[in-house]
Amino acid sequence: MILKDSTIELTDVRLYAYHGVLEQERRVGGEYSVSLRVHYYIYEAMHSDKVADTLNYTELLEVVKREMAQPSQLLEHVAGRIGQAVFRRFPQAQALHVQVVKLNPPMGSCCAGAGVTLHLVNDQAKI
């Protein structure tokens, strides 16, 4: 059996944070959804059944929570910080899709959310 690709994922993590261009958004805060798909070679974990052989998604969640706790004006900045922090904490991560969505954004119209999605490649990956 050949493992072609593998990911560790966190989907629709709901957090309250203080991001936005408007001062009111940074003061009052709002709800956000964060999703990550980390390309990570999990072949060893498939066979060993040991947490030490994989990327621990609880630690991944802590990285996301830490970065979301730092207020920013732009979601692009938040998503980029999350990407950098994931690659620092997990240098074996090969690539990352990170999505940050502001739920119920103050745009004068009703929508499920507005956000950004980044696809980042770790050019320093230690495979």
Side-chain angles (χ1 to χ4, degrees):
M1 176 168 58
I2 297 171
L3 177 61
K4 185 167 172 87
D5 190 25
S6 52
T7 60
I8 304 290
E9 300 183 25
L10 292 179
T11 305
D12 196 22
V13 175
R14 299 295 178 105
L15 300 164
Y16 202 87
Y18 300 86
H19 309 302
V21 173
L22 303 175
E23 183 181 332
Q24 174 81 2
E25 293 176 284
R26 291 188 309 275
R27 192 173 340 114
V28 175
E31 284 192 76
Y32 293 81
S33 170
V34 178
S35 295
L36 297 178
R37 187 169 63 239
V38 183
H39 291 263
Y40 188 82
Y41 192 68
I42 64 170
Y43 186 81
E44 292 298 321
M46 282 174 39
H47 297 286
S48 73
D49 197 29
K50 295 180 183 175
V51 173
D53 291 335
T54 192
L55 186 152
N56 185 321
Y57 55 80
T58 301
E59 292 177 27
L60 186 61
L61 176 60
E62 291 306 313
V63 169
V64 169
K65 287 165 68 175
R66 185 174 59 245
E67 294 305 321
M68 286 296 290
Q70 296 179 38
S72 291
Q73 290 188 53
L74 301 178
L75 296 182
E76 292 86 335
H77 184 70
V78 177
R81 278 200 336 258
I82 290 171
Q84 289 175 332
V86 167
F87 288 153
R88 269 194 313 273
R89 174 62 191 89
F90 303 103
Q92 305 89 335
Q94 300 160 347
L96 165 69
H97 287 84
V98 57
Q99 180 180 61
V100 181
V101 176
K102 181 182 294 191
L103 305 175
N104 195 25
M107 299 187 326
S109 183
C110 198
C111 73
V116 299
T117 301
L118 305 179
H119 177 199
L120 305 169
V121 175
N122 186 358
D123 58 356
Q124 304 293 315
K126 297 177 181 171
I127 301 170

